[in-house]
Amino acid sequence: MKNKTPTSDPTPPTADADAARDFDAAERRFLETYDATAFDRPSVTVDVVVLTVRDGELEVALVRRPDHPHKDRWSLPGGFIRLEESLHGAAARVLREKAGLSNVYLEQLYTFGEPGRDPRLRVISIAYVALVDPARLSAVDRAGQVLGRVEVPWRGETGGPVDIESSEGRPYDLAFDHADIVGMAVKRLRGKLDYTPIGFQLLPDAFTLRRLQTVHETVLGRSLNKDSFRRRMLASGLLEATGERETEVGHRPAELYRIIKRSAI
Amino acid sequence: MKNKTPTSDPTPPTADADAARDFDAAERRFLETYDATAFDRPSVTVDVVVLTVRDGELEVALVRRPDHPHKDRWSLPGGFIRLEESLHGAAARVLREKAGLSNVYLEQLYTFGEPGRDPRLRVISIAYVALVDPARLSAVDRAGQVLGRVEVPWRGETGGPVDIESSEGRPYDLAFDHADIVGMAVKRLRGKLDYTPIGFQLLPDAFTLRRLQTVHETVLGRSLNKDSFRRRMLASGLLEATGERETEVGHRPAELYRIIKRSAI
DNA sequence: TTAATAGTGTCTCTGAGACACTATGTG
DNA sequence: CACATAGTGTCTCAGAGACACTATTAA
C-alpha cells in the first residue's frame, strides 16, 4: 500500500448498518429543526450586463432605477434572487422582465460583494453578461431604458471600470459599482474573443465575415488583420457558408455565413 | 447634435439645487426606514478549493464536515459570509481558520447556487481557488484535514466534475456539489496555464524550470515540449535567474529561478 | 568512467501579417 | 466605364516542435 504523506488517515464516515441508520436519523432530525433565520444574511441580487455592438460602438443596456437608493440613476437591469429559482434562471428572468429579451446568450461573469457597495444593507450581486443582436434591442424600445456607449479607458485585458456615455457624449454616472461590473464584462469578452468567434452572438443569424470582424474590432478596441481574421474564422470550423449573399451594397456582395452549432459556445 | 437611435431621452436625474436637496432628503429617509429583513434571503457561503501539486499529482485540501447536513463527509473548507467582511476577506478567513494558511494566491472562481444543492435551505456559495506550495500544506497537518488526489476524467478544458481519491486510491464522496466545484477549478487553472506561468504559485520561492514544467504538466494532464516550455517561460519576462543552483541531485544541477513580480499575476 | 539531467544551437513546419492581384456588385 | 469592397495566392517572419550536441554533477 502506497502511503506517500504523513497526513491524517481518512477513515470513511460510516462502518456498519446500525451506525448508518442512526446517522441518517440524526441528519433528518437536524433538517427538520433547522432554523433558517438564525444567522444574519446578506441580500443577493443578479445584475445583467446586456452588451451589443451597433455602428462600430460597444453599448450596454441601462435602466433607470425606479426606487431608492440611487433613485432615477441609470443602472444595470437587476433584481433579487427568488428562493426557488437558479442563478441563471434569475438572470434570465431579469432580462425578460426588465429588458424584454429572452433566448439570448447569457453567462455568469463574477460576484461583487464589497460591504458598502449598497448603502441600504449588505448586498451581494452575481453579475451575468448577455450578448444581443442590436436589431433585437431596438425592437424593445421602452420607457426608462437606454443604450449607453461603453468607452474603455484601458487597452487589452488590463481591466478596471469603464465610462458610459449617451450617444451625444454626455456621461452616465451609473449607480453602485456598475461601472466596475461593465468593465469586468468587457475584459471577459475580450479574453473570449482571442480564442472563440463569440462575436456572432452580437449579430443576426446570417452575417458576413466583414461584419463579424467589425464586431471583434469594436469589442477589442483595435483593428485586426483582414486576411488573418478570415483564415482563423474559417479554420475554426464553427462557421458555414449559407450560399446566400448580401444585396444592395454598392460593391461586390459578400457571402453570408451562419454558425454551425450555436450551443457549442 | 448626433442622434443615432430612437431610444428614450436620458434626462439627468436632477436639474436645480432645490430639487436635488429634496431628492437627497427622500433618499436619506428611505435608508433610515428600510427594513432589511423584509425579503426572504438565501444563505451565502464561501468555499475554497485549495490546490497543490505534490509528486506529480494534483491534490485538493478537504475537511471533514463537523455538522449536519452531510456530517462526517469530506468537503471543501467553507463558511458563512459575515456581514462586515468582503468576499475575498471571507475566503481568506476560511483559509486561515480551516486550513491554517495565510498569504497564498487566492482568486474568485464561480458562484454556485442551484436550489437544492444544500438540503437545509437555499445556499449560494461563492467558490474561490487557492494555490499553495505543498511544503506549506504538510506543515499544517491537522486532524480532520486531508489531501485528496484529483482525477480528471476529461481532457483539455472540457469541464465537468472530477473524482477525488485518497492516496491509496479509495474514492472520497464529497459533500454537496463540491466535486463540480473542484472540476471548475481545474478547468479554470488549465485555461490560465495556457497564457501565464501561474504554476509558480504551487512552488517554493525559488524553483527550477523542470519543476515548473512538471507542475504545468500535472495540472494540464499532458506532457509538454521541454525546449518550447523553456523558451516560453524565459520569453515571458516574468522569471529571473537567482544565480543559485540546486544541489545533491545526481546530475548536472539546474539553475534556480524566481518570479519577478508575484503580484503581477 | 558512467548515468542522468541541464542547457544550447539549429532545422523544419505552421500560422499570422503583408501585399498584390482578380472578382463582382452599383452608379 | 469607374469605384468599392470581396475574396485568393503567395511571400516573409516569428514561434513551436524536434533533435543533436555539449555541460556538469553524483556515484
Side-chain angles (χ1 to χ4, degrees), chain B residues 199-242:
Chain B
F200 70 82
Q201 299 284 4
L202 295 158
L203 292 171
D205 285 339
F207 50 85
T208 67
L209 290 178
R210 192 67 193 78
R211 285 261 288 154
L212 186 62
Q213 184 177 343
T214 301
V215 165
H216 279 232
E217 288 176 335
T218 302
V219 173
L220 292 172
R222 62 191 175 89
S223 55
L224 296 172
N225 181 278
K226 174 184 127 183
D227 315 65
S228 172
F229 183 81
R230 290 180 64 85
R231 264 184 309 213
R232 259 195 308 131
M233 289 303 120
L234 295 176
S236 76
L238 294 170
L239 303 183
E240 68 180 357
T242 61

Coordinates of all heavy atoms in Angstrom, one line a residue, chain B residues 199-242:
Chain B
G199 N 1.7 28.5 -12.5 CA 2.1 27.3 -11.8 C 3.1 27.6 -10.7 O 3.2 26.9 -9.7
F200 N 3.8 28.7 -10.8 CA 4.8 29.0 -9.7 C 4.2 29.2 -8.4 O 4.8 29.1 -7.3 CB 5.7 30.2 -10.1 CG 4.9 31.5 -10.1 CD1 4.7 32.2 -8.9 CD2 4.4 32.1 -11.2 CE1 4.0 33.4 -8.8 CE2 3.6 33.2 -11.2 CZ 3.4 33.9 -10.0
Q201 N 2.9 29.5 -8.4 CA 2.1 29.7 -7.1 C 2.1 28.3 -6.3 O 1.8 28.3 -5.2 CB 0.7 30.2 -7.4 CG 0.6 31.5 -8.0 CD 1.0 32.7 -7.1 OE1 1.3 32.5 -5.9 NE2 0.8 33.9 -7.6
L202 N 2.3 27.3 -7.1 CA 2.3 25.9 -6.4 C 3.7 25.5 -6.0 O 3.9 24.3 -5.7 CB 1.7 24.9 -7.4 CG 0.2 25.2 -7.7 CD1 -0.2 24.6 -9.1 CD2 -0.7 24.7 -6.6
L203 N 4.7 26.4 -6.1 CA 6.1 26.0 -5.8 C 6.7 27.0 -4.8 O 6.1 28.0 -4.5 CB 6.9 26.1 -7.1 CG 6.6 25.1 -8.2 CD1 7.3 25.5 -9.5 CD2 7.0 23.7 -7.7
P204 N 7.8 26.6 -4.2 CA 8.5 27.5 -3.3 C 9.0 28.7 -4.1 O 8.9 28.8 -5.3 CB 9.7 26.7 -2.8 CG 9.5 25.3 -3.2 CD 8.5 25.3 -4.4
D205 N 9.6 29.7 -3.3 CA 10.0 30.9 -3.9 C 11.0 30.7 -5.1 O 11.0 31.4 -6.1 CB 10.6 31.9 -2.9 CG 9.5 32.5 -2.0 OD1 8.4 32.5 -2.5 OD2 9.8 32.9 -0.9
A206 N 11.9 29.8 -4.8 CA 12.9 29.5 -5.9 C 12.7 28.1 -6.4 O 12.4 27.2 -5.6 CB 14.3 29.6 -5.3
F207 N 12.8 27.9 -7.7 CA 12.4 26.6 -8.3 C 13.2 26.5 -9.6 O 13.6 27.5 -10.2 CB 10.9 26.5 -8.5 CG 10.3 27.7 -9.2 CD1 10.4 27.8 -10.6 CD2 9.8 28.8 -8.5 CE1 9.9 28.9 -11.3 CE2 9.4 29.9 -9.2 CZ 9.4 30.0 -10.6
T208 N 13.3 25.3 -10.1 CA 13.9 25.1 -11.4 C 12.9 25.0 -12.4 O 11.7 24.8 -12.2 CB 14.7 23.7 -11.4 OG1 13.7 22.7 -11.3 CG2 15.6 23.6 -10.3
L209 N 13.3 25.3 -13.7 CA 12.3 25.2 -14.8 C 11.7 23.9 -14.9 O 10.5 23.7 -15.3 CB 13.0 25.7 -16.1 CG 13.4 27.1 -16.2 CD1 14.1 27.4 -17.5 CD2 12.2 28.0 -16.0
R210 N 12.5 22.8 -14.6 CA 12.0 21.5 -14.7 C 10.8 21.2 -13.8 O 9.8 20.6 -14.1 CB 13.1 20.4 -14.4 CG 12.7 19.0 -14.8 CD 12.6 18.9 -16.3 NE 12.0 17.7 -16.8 CZ 10.7 17.4 -16.7 NH1 9.8 18.3 -16.2 NH2 10.2 16.3 -17.2
R211 N 11.0 21.8 -12.5 CA 9.9 21.6 -11.5 C 8.6 22.4 -12.0 O 7.5 21.9 -11.9 CB 10.4 22.2 -10.2 CG 11.3 21.3 -9.5 CD 10.6 20.5 -8.4 NE 10.2 21.3 -7.2 CZ 9.2 21.0 -6.4 NH1 8.5 19.9 -6.6 NH2 8.9 21.8 -5.4
L212 N 8.9 23.6 -12.6 CA 7.7 24.3 -13.1 C 7.0 23.6 -14.2 O 5.8 23.6 -14.3 CB 8.2 25.7 -13.6 CG 7.1 26.7 -14.0 CD1 6.2 27.0 -12.8 CD2 7.7 28.0 -14.5
Q213 N 7.8 23.0 -15.1 CA 7.2 22.2 -16.2 C 6.4 21.0 -15.6 O 5.3 20.8 -16.1 CB 8.3 21.7 -17.1 CG 7.7 21.0 -18.4 CD 8.7 20.6 -19.4 OE1 9.9 21.1 -19.3 NE2 8.4 19.7 -20.3
T214 N 6.9 20.4 -14.6 CA 6.2 19.2 -14.0 C 4.8 19.7 -13.5 O 3.8 19.0 -13.6 CB 7.0 18.6 -12.9 OG1 8.2 18.1 -13.5 CG2 6.3 17.4 -12.3
V215 N 4.9 20.9 -12.8 CA 3.6 21.4 -12.3 C 2.6 21.7 -13.4 O 1.4 21.3 -13.3 CB 3.9 22.7 -11.5 CG1 2.6 23.5 -11.2 CG2 4.6 22.4 -10.2
H216 N 3.1 22.3 -14.5 CA 2.2 22.6 -15.6 C 1.7 21.3 -16.2 O 0.5 21.2 -16.5 CB 3.0 23.4 -16.7 CG 3.0 24.8 -16.4 ND1 2.7 25.8 -17.3 CD2 3.4 25.5 -15.3 CE1 2.8 27.0 -16.8 NE2 3.3 26.9 -15.6
E217 N 2.5 20.3 -16.3 CA 2.1 19.0 -16.9 C 1.1 18.3 -16.1 O 0.1 17.8 -16.5 CB 3.3 18.1 -17.2 CG 4.2 18.6 -18.3 CD 5.5 17.8 -18.5 OE1 5.9 17.2 -17.5 OE2 6.0 17.8 -19.6
T218 N 1.3 18.4 -14.8 CA 0.4 17.8 -13.8 C -1.0 18.4 -13.9 O -2.0 17.7 -14.0 CB 0.9 17.8 -12.4 OG1 2.1 17.2 -12.3 CG2 -0.1 17.2 -11.4
V219 N -1.0 19.7 -13.9 CA -2.3 20.4 -14.0 C -3.0 20.2 -15.3 O -4.2 19.9 -15.4 CB -2.1 21.9 -13.7 CG1 -3.4 22.7 -14.0 CG2 -1.6 22.2 -12.3
L220 N -2.2 20.3 -16.4 CA -2.8 20.1 -17.7 C -3.2 18.7 -18.1 O -4.0 18.4 -19.0 CB -1.8 20.7 -18.8 CG -1.6 22.2 -18.8 CD1 -0.5 22.6 -19.7 CD2 -2.9 22.9 -19.1
G221 N -2.5 17.7 -17.4 CA -2.8 16.4 -17.7 C -2.2 15.8 -19.0 O -2.7 14.9 -19.5
R222 N -1.1 16.5 -19.4 CA -0.5 16.1 -20.6 C 1.0 16.5 -20.6 O 1.3 17.5 -19.9 CB -1.1 16.6 -21.9 CG -1.1 18.1 -22.0 CD -2.0 18.6 -23.1 NE -2.1 20.0 -23.2 CZ -1.2 20.8 -23.8 NH1 -0.2 20.3 -24.5 NH2 -1.3 22.1 -23.8
S223 N 1.9 15.9 -21.4 CA 3.3 16.3 -21.3 C 3.5 17.5 -22.3 O 2.8 17.7 -23.2 CB 4.1 15.1 -21.7 OG 3.7 14.6 -23.0
L224 N 4.5 18.2 -21.9 CA 4.8 19.4 -22.7 C 6.2 19.3 -23.3 O 7.1 18.5 -22.8 CB 4.8 20.7 -21.8 CG 3.5 21.0 -21.2 CD1 3.6 22.1 -20.1 CD2 2.5 21.4 -22.3
N225 N 6.4 20.0 -24.4 CA 7.7 20.0 -25.1 C 8.7 20.8 -24.2 O 8.5 22.0 -23.9 CB 7.6 20.6 -26.4 CG 8.9 20.7 -27.2 OD1 9.7 21.6 -27.0 ND2 9.1 19.7 -28.0
K226 N 9.8 20.2 -23.9 CA 10.8 20.8 -22.9 C 11.4 22.1 -23.5 O 11.3 23.2 -22.8 CB 11.9 19.9 -22.6 CG 13.1 20.5 -21.8 CD 14.2 19.5 -21.6 CE 15.6 20.1 -22.0 NZ 16.7 19.2 -21.9
D227 N 11.9 22.1 -24.7 CA 12.5 23.2 -25.4 C 11.5 24.4 -25.4 O 11.9 25.5 -25.1 CB 13.0 22.9 -26.7 CG 13.7 21.5 -26.8 OD1 13.0 20.5 -26.5 OD2 14.9 21.5 -27.0
S228 N 10.4 24.1 -25.9 CA 9.4 25.1 -26.1 C 9.0 25.7 -24.8 O 8.8 26.9 -24.7 CB 8.2 24.6 -26.9 OG 7.1 25.5 -26.9
F229 N 8.8 24.9 -23.8 CA 8.4 25.3 -22.5 C 9.4 26.3 -21.9 O 9.1 27.4 -21.4 CB 8.2 24.2 -21.5 CG 7.7 24.6 -20.2 CD1 6.4 24.8 -19.9 CD2 8.6 24.7 -19.1 CE1 5.9 25.2 -18.7 CE2 8.2 25.1 -17.8 CZ 6.8 25.4 -17.6
R230 N 10.7 25.9 -22.0 CA 11.8 26.8 -21.5 C 11.7 28.2 -22.2 O 11.8 29.2 -21.6 CB 13.1 26.2 -21.7 CG 13.4 25.0 -20.9 CD 14.8 24.4 -21.2 NE 15.8 25.4 -20.8 CZ 16.3 25.5 -19.6 NH1 15.9 24.7 -18.7 NH2 17.3 26.4 -19.3
R231 N 11.7 28.1 -23.5 CA 11.7 29.4 -24.3 C 10.5 30.3 -23.9 O 10.7 31.4 -23.7 CB 11.6 29.0 -25.8 CG 12.9 29.0 -26.5 CD 12.7 28.8 -28.0 NE 11.9 27.6 -28.2 CZ 12.0 26.8 -29.3 NH1 13.0 27.0 -30.1 NH2 11.2 25.8 -29.4
R232 N 9.3 29.6 -23.8 CA 8.1 30.4 -23.5 C 8.3 31.1 -22.1 O 8.0 32.3 -21.9 CB 6.9 29.6 -23.5 CG 6.1 29.7 -24.8 CD 4.7 29.2 -24.6 NE 4.7 27.8 -24.2 CZ 3.9 27.4 -23.2 NH1 3.1 28.2 -22.5 NH2 3.9 26.1 -22.8
M233 N 8.7 30.3 -21.1 CA 8.8 30.8 -19.8 C 9.8 32.0 -19.7 O 9.6 33.0 -19.1 CB 9.2 29.7 -18.8 CG 8.2 28.7 -18.6 SD 6.6 29.4 -17.9 CE 5.5 29.0 -19.2
L234 N 11.0 31.7 -20.3 CA 12.0 32.8 -20.3 C 11.6 34.0 -21.1 O 11.9 35.1 -20.7 CB 13.3 32.2 -20.8 CG 13.9 31.1 -19.9 CD1 15.2 30.5 -20.5 CD2 14.2 31.6 -18.5
A235 N 10.9 33.8 -22.2 CA 10.5 34.9 -23.0 C 9.4 35.7 -22.3 O 9.1 36.9 -22.7 CB 10.0 34.4 -24.4
S236 N 8.6 35.1 -21.4 CA 7.5 35.8 -20.7 C 8.0 37.0 -20.0 O 7.3 37.9 -19.7 CB 6.7 34.9 -19.8 OG 7.5 34.6 -18.6
G237 N 9.3 37.0 -19.6 CA 9.8 38.1 -18.8 C 9.4 38.1 -17.4 O 9.7 39.0 -16.6
L238 N 8.7 37.0 -16.9 CA 8.2 37.0 -15.5 C 9.2 36.3 -14.6 O 9.0 36.3 -13.4 CB 6.9 36.4 -15.5 CG 5.8 37.2 -16.2 CD1 4.5 36.4 -16.3 CD2 5.5 38.5 -15.5
L239 N 10.2 35.6 -15.2 CA 11.1 34.8 -14.3 C 12.5 35.5 -14.4 O 12.9 36.1 -15.4 CB 11.2 33.4 -14.9 CG 10.0 32.5 -15.0 CD1 10.3 31.1 -15.5 CD2 9.3 32.5 -13.7
E240 N 13.2 35.3 -13.3 CA 14.6 35.8 -13.3 C 15.5 34.7 -12.6 O 15.0 34.1 -11.7 CB 14.8 37.2 -12.7 CG 14.5 37.2 -11.2 CD 14.7 38.6 -10.6 OE1 15.1 39.5 -11.3 OE2 14.5 38.7 -9.4
A241 N 16.7 34.6 -13.1 CA 17.6 33.6 -12.6 C 18.1 34.1 -11.2 O 18.3 35.3 -11.1 CB 18.8 33.4 -13.5
T242 N 18.2 33.2 -10.2 CA 18.7 33.7 -8.9 C 20.2 33.6 -8.9 O 20.8 34.2 -8.0 CB 18.2 32.7 -7.8 OG1 18.6 31.4 -8.1 CG2 16.7 32.8 -7.8

